Amino acid sequence: PLPHRHRQRGRIFHERRNPALCAEEIGGVKKPSALGVRGLLEIYVERTERHRRWDDLLKFARQHPSPRWVFRGQSQKWPLKPTAGRSDRYSKSRELQLFNEFKRLASPMIDRSQVATDWDWLFLAQHHGLPTRLLDWTTNPLIAAYFACETSARGKRDGEIIAVEIADVGRISEDDLAAGPFDVRQTRFMFPTVVAPRIASQRGLFSVHATPDRNWILKAKTTRHTIKAGDKAEFRELLFGLGVDSAMVMADVDGTAANLAWRYRTGRAF
């Protein structure tokens, strides 16, 4: 029989003649390890560091109280540029054409009582994925963490939470409200009317961009927290334990299905 010893975090088996036969048991899962005790020590250190980084994330949330601060979670470190302005063919006239076509085609499909102004139409368009001059933010740092923990379309990339003190930027003025979303003079925050349940569930607000084709440079007005790519999967599980998951964030049938699919893939109980 293999000599063995017990540790609090698992059981390590030693094979004197062939270290490649060593096995690790961490978190209840036994895996082969070609590195033996040294490899297990490295795994233990990495897990300890990951738990420290989770504590750092919670500390970041505590240090930036809502609603004084607002947050944006990104799956990687993107510039702050809304989707309408990311096209190489952007122009204000094209943006308006897109918006008006959305209004024309979507009009028979929605409850018109919910969209009284162009602002309401723009919030609805953003909700359904139309390129707009809006960027999504939230007053809940854990919801921002949820989005920062998503897999980047460009592979294994670090995520990021951006925190902004809302008073440093300001809210849309009454004059800009009256002028409409396409004639705002300065980029500011705006709390929208709730044209979809998801806006409420995400504690959502928007930054409305005066020049959508330019990166929004906030300089010293932000603090940022990085979520390492290797931490994302475990952080998503920890957020799930706190009730922050796709069912809560999306607040619709798609969100419920996405949550159940994630639980199915990861072997979590239903």
Side-chain angles (χ1 to χ4, degrees), residues 55-66 71 141-142 225:
D55 290 339
D56 288 343
L57 171 58
L58 298 181
K59 182 179 179 181
F60 176 82
R62 290 193 301 270
Q63 290 175 338
H64 298 83
S66 168
F71 309 88
L142 296 185
H225 185 86

Side-chain angles (χ1 to χ4, degrees), residues 226-269:
T226 298
I227 294 181
K228 293 175 67 68
D231 292 344
K232 288 183 176 183
E234 186 166 340
F235 282 16
R236 282 289 290 268
E237 292 192 7
L238 293 167
L239 288 167
F240 172 79
L242 295 175
V244 181
D245 55 34
S246 56
M248 175 266 194
V249 169
M250 298 173 72
D252 57 19
V253 176
D254 289 342
T256 299
N259 174 253
L260 291 172
W262 173 79
R263 292 164 68 181
Y264 180 77
R265 290 193 306 270
T266 57
R268 302 194 70 90

Side-chain angles (χ1 to χ4, degrees), residues 141-217:
L142 296 185
I143 290 176
Y146 170 87
F147 286 109
C149 287
E150 288 189 327
T151 302
S152 170
R154 295 191 176 182
K156 198 171 183 180
R157 303 289 181 92
D158 291 347
E160 179 182 49
I161 301 171
I162 304 170
V164 179
E165 194 165 7
I166 198 167
D168 285 346
V169 174
R171 302 190 188 191
I172 289 288
S173 68
E174 292 296 327
D175 288 343
D176 280 344
L177 278 176
F182 300 100
D183 292 304
V184 296
R185 294 167 296 179
Q186 291 182 304
T187 301
R188 294 286 185 264
F189 286 114
M190 182 175 187
F191 286 87
T193 51
V194 180
V195 296
R198 194 178 299 179
I199 294 175
S201 67
Q202 293 179 10
R203 308 282 182 87
L205 70 155
F206 299 116
S207 52
V208 186
H209 291 249
T211 51
D213 57 333
R214 297 181 185 177
N215 294 342
W216 192 23
I217 307 298

Side-chain angles (χ1 to χ4, degrees), residues 1-5 13-16 21-22:
L2 296 175
H4 63 275
R5 58 193 175 89
F13 294 89
H14 297 280
E15 172 57 55
R16 291 194 180 100
L21 294 179
C22 294

Side-chain angles (χ1 to χ4, degrees), residues 83-95 97 213:
T83 50
R86 295 174 196 170
S87 170
D88 293 335
R89 299 179 179 179
Y90 172 79
S91 68
K92 185 177 178 179
S93 61
R94 265 190 108 232
E95 182 189 8
Q97 288 174 358
D213 57 333

